[in-house]
Amino acid sequence: MLGGYGGFGGRLSRRLAEAGHEVVVAGRRLSEATRFCSGLPGCRPLVADRNGELTALFATERPALVIDAAGPFQDSGYRVPKACAALNIPYLDLADDRAFVSGIGTLRADVPMISGASSVPALSAAVARHLAAGMSRVTAVEAAISASNQAAAGRSVATAILSSVGQPVPLRRGGRASTGYGWQDMRREHFDFADGTSLGRRWVAIADVPDLSLLPKRMVGRPAVTFRAGTELGFQNLALWLVSWPVRWFGVSLRPLARWLLPLQRLTAALGSDRSGMVVRVFGVATGRRVERRWTLIAEKGDGPEIPTLAAAILAERILAGACSPGPRDAGEALSIADFQPDFMRLAIRHETREIGQPDPLYRQVMGSEFDRLCPAVRGLHDVLRDGGASGHATVTRGGHPVARLIAAAVGFPPAGEHALHVSFSEQDGEETWTRDFAGRRFRSRMSQRGQELVERFGPLRFRFVLIREGRGLRMVMRGWSCFGVPLPLALAPRSDARETEDAQGRFSFDVPITLPLVGLIVHYQGWLTPPNGS
């Protein structure tokens, strides 16, 4: 095992040795390998550099299986699996690097070669599939891991963390490709059970993992997938968030600082607890109901660091028993939750699955049963559950009055002309955020319910509308407005006789003119939208 005496590799070496296997504990430093193997039956040390020449070494040793637990896998190439393939030696790794795991299938091998046998994507994808079972449409998958502050990790983990801080992270949001940034978009995540057991709310931030590439194409509806990670102590996450900005702005890398991260972490080792957590949330439609299915795991007594090794131990046993089919692949579809259960029971690890019903779409909450009488295109566009999007075309006309131009510029309305249009929808806690992208010119508004009215917010301005069904279409009629919460005279309000309907091609059609008393036209945009699948 490469990296067999490291943070996770050491745990896996012990687990396999205790199961009766002979484990060759390999690494760059013979002294550390020897120290690790001392007093551990079934283990013997060996010098090996995963970045060096391995084919001759493997030919001499002829292992039944090579496990790479060394890392870091970022920008490492496939030197190790290629050496294994050349000698028909099965291969397994604990990689969590997105590019490395997602690209393993490009190799050729006549023996099992499995990448990503760790918390991600092996466990996380198994959980997501379990939660999505029976759903006719999955709109979003959100996962997070929070590690105990007392969970010691090796230098390769530190390198992986710092390699991603502030770096671009390709995401799928709003029905299309988007970009986040490592260790940004922070939020507090709940790690709790129905019986009250809880880790409380912990800070987590965007992390780049294989699931972001693998899950959208493997789940019905091509959902938005987000993964966040964090440490137990909030100030550590805040520090990484702060340094992520200069990395994002100036394109520098923190990877050379990895050697200092572990010593700094050890200075705070006495703080925090020995409890780690993981949560996976899947949003979708099951038997006609809008639901969130949530899986929560809490590890206590310092057993959290064992979790990244469990999938590798299970798959190693299968490979050695001849129970794995040949060929290279990621571990995202290799295991089920049931495969992990025996190990969870032996450790201080509990997990729980809950289903939480989700409210009706915002527009239906405002309109009641009238919403159900709208045409399918209008109902479908407003059926937002956590994430959604639609693309189409818009024609924009702008007013010529200087005040109209000033208002349009302040809000971010697009220039006059023909535009490719994409609208992203994000829903949370009864509020929807609409981001309209007119050929690169974006403006955003937030919508919520107030009694039987829809409230749309542009910065400090709030506009109240009633939603009126006209035939099978929809009309928005303004009933009031305010700025910084101060009501303003309706006579001075912008006029917007906005309408939505379905065109002859079955597409969502919109017509939104906005005028201002004494000023005239500010902007008028009209066109059509369809969801990503064209339905």
Side-chain angles (χ1 to χ4, degrees):
M1 182 183 307
L2 298 171
Y5 53 77
F8 296 134
R11 290 178 170 86
L12 182 56
S13 293
R14 290 189 184 92
R15 186 176 296 277
L16 294 175
E18 290 170 359
H21 299 289
E22 180 184 352
V23 181
V24 179
V25 178
R28 296 185 182 94
R29 294 176 290 277
L30 181 61
S31 59
E32 293 193 28
T34 301
R35 187 181 305 112
F36 178 87
C37 293
S38 177
L40 190 59
C43 290
R44 66 178 176 87
L46 180 71
V47 174
D49 184 349
R50 70 186 299 271
N51 296 316
E53 174 53 49
L54 297 169
T55 304
L57 177 66
F58 292 166
T60 300
E61 291 289 331
R62 296 304 307 184
L65 169 66
V66 169
I67 301 178
D68 189 352
F73 293 88
Q74 286 75 11
D75 303 317
S76 70
Y78 294 108
R79 179 188 300 270
V80 180
K82 285 181 177 179
C84 291
L87 297 168
N88 283 331
I89 299 173
Y91 166 87
L92 183 67
D93 67 46
L94 278 69
D96 62 1
D97 179 66
R98 179 177 184 173
F100 187 95
V101 175
S102 300
I104 193 71
T106 61
L107 304 183
R108 297 182 62 183
D110 296 323
V111 290
M113 306 194 77
I114 304 178
S115 183
S118 191
S119 301
V120 292
L123 175 57
S124 54
V127 173
R129 289 197 312 276
H130 165 71
L131 297 177
M135 286 188 174
S136 58
R137 177 168 60 103
V138 178
T139 61
V141 179
E142 301 175 6
I145 290 178
S146 176
S148 157
N149 188 55
Q150 298 175 13
R155 183 169 173 177
S156 64
V157 175
T159 301
I161 292 173
L162 293 183
S163 295
S164 67
V165 171
Q167 300 295 333
V169 178
L171 300 171
R172 179 173 173 80
R173 286 178 171 172
R176 67 172 182 172
S178 180
T179 302
Y181 291 87
W183 232 268
Q184 296 192 356
D185 196 6
M186 291 181 65
R187 66 178 57 181
R188 287 185 179 273
E189 181 63 77
H190 292 271
F191 298 86
D192 51 29
F193 292 151
D195 65 5
T197 302
S198 176
L199 301 182
R201 299 176 68 198
R202 293 187 177 182
W203 284 106
V204 291
I206 291 290
D208 197 3
V209 296
D211 307 65
L212 301 179
S213 293
L214 301 176
L215 286 180
K217 60 188 179 183
R218 292 176 176 174
M219 307 192 80
V220 60
R222 290 185 61 82
V225 178
T226 307
F227 190 94
R228 291 180 172 85
T231 64
E232 178 182 4
L233 302 181
F235 72 85
Q236 294 174 340
N237 295 291
L238 178 60
L240 290 171
W241 176 80
L242 287 172
V243 299
S244 74
W245 288 100
V247 173
R248 176 176 173 178
W249 291 332
F250 304 114
V252 299
S253 174
L254 300 180
R255 185 168 181 163
L257 303 180
R259 60 181 298 186
W260 304 108
L261 185 60
L262 294 180
L264 289 173
Q265 193 274 337
R266 282 194 282 269
L267 292 177
T268 63
L271 303 177
S273 70
D274 61 359
R275 307 172 78 204
S276 302
M278 180 174 179
V279 64
V280 180
R281 308 165 74 187
V282 172
F283 296 83
V285 178
T287 60
R289 297 178 300 113
R290 295 157 53 92
V291 298
E292 173 198 344
R293 290 177 180 166
R294 181 184 303 180
W295 180 87
T296 305
L297 175 148
I298 294 179
E300 301 183 284
K301 299 181 181 179
D303 282 346
E306 297 290 340
I307 296 172
T309 71
L310 299 181
I314 297 168
L315 290 171
E317 294 285 3
R318 293 185 181 179
I319 291 172
L320 294 172
C324 277
S325 59
R329 58 196 178 276
D330 66 81
E333 297 182 300
L335 299 172
S336 67
I337 291 183
D339 293 323
F340 292 90
Q341 185 60 25
D343 288 314
F344 288 162
M345 294 180 67
R346 284 192 290 268
L347 299 165
I349 297 175
R350 293 176 55 202
H351 63 101
E352 173 186 272
T353 300
R354 282 183 283 171
E355 181 172 286
I356 304 167
Q358 298 296 289
D360 287 339
L362 174 61
Y363 274 53
R364 194 187 192 286
Q365 294 181 52
V366 175
M367 297 182 67
S369 60
E370 286 289 276
F371 179 84
D372 301 327
R373 301 175 66 184
L374 296 173
C375 55
V378 175
R379 290 200 317 271
L381 188 99
H382 291 295
D383 186 12
V384 182
L385 176 57
R386 206 65 176 185
D387 184 90
S391 296
H393 183 271
T395 300
V396 178
T397 306
R398 288 272 292 266
H401 194 284
V403 174
R405 292 199 298 268
L406 178 64
I407 293 173
V411 175
F413 289 136
E418 304 294 321
H419 299 272
L421 172 63
H422 182 86
V423 184
S424 296
F425 311 105
S426 175
E427 177 271 332
Q428 186 173 358
D429 299 329
E431 183 177 273
E432 292 181 6
T433 300
W434 289 35
T435 303
R436 304 161 181 87
D437 184 338
F438 290 81
R441 177 68 67 87
R442 297 179 177 88
F443 71 96
R444 178 179 298 174
S445 66
R446 291 180 171 84
M447 302 188 189
S448 57
Q449 181 183 15
R450 178 179 170 182
Q452 297 304 305
E453 294 178 334
L454 179 77
V455 178
E456 185 168 17
R457 185 168 77 248
F458 294 87
L461 297 173
R462 285 170 169 79
F463 301 91
R464 302 188 342 262
F465 298 92
V466 293
L467 304 179
I468 300 173
R469 181 181 63 82
E470 289 187 337
R472 302 184 71 200
L474 175 66
R475 180 184 176 198
M476 300 176 65
V477 178
M478 188 181 298
R479 285 291 185 258
W481 69 312
S482 64
C483 183
F484 291 107
V486 178
L488 299 174
L490 186 59
L492 300 179
R495 306 288 193 261
S496 178
D497 191 17
R499 285 178 164 82
E500 301 173 357
T501 187
E502 184 174 283
D503 67 13
Q505 288 76 42
R507 303 174 302 195
F508 173 86
S509 176
F510 59 90
D511 188 346
V512 184
I514 301 175
T515 62
L516 191 66
L518 305 180
V519 172
L521 179 68
I522 297 176
V523 68
H524 182 191
Y525 52 94
Q526 55 189 324
W528 54 268
L529 291 166
T530 61
N533 60 5
S535 62

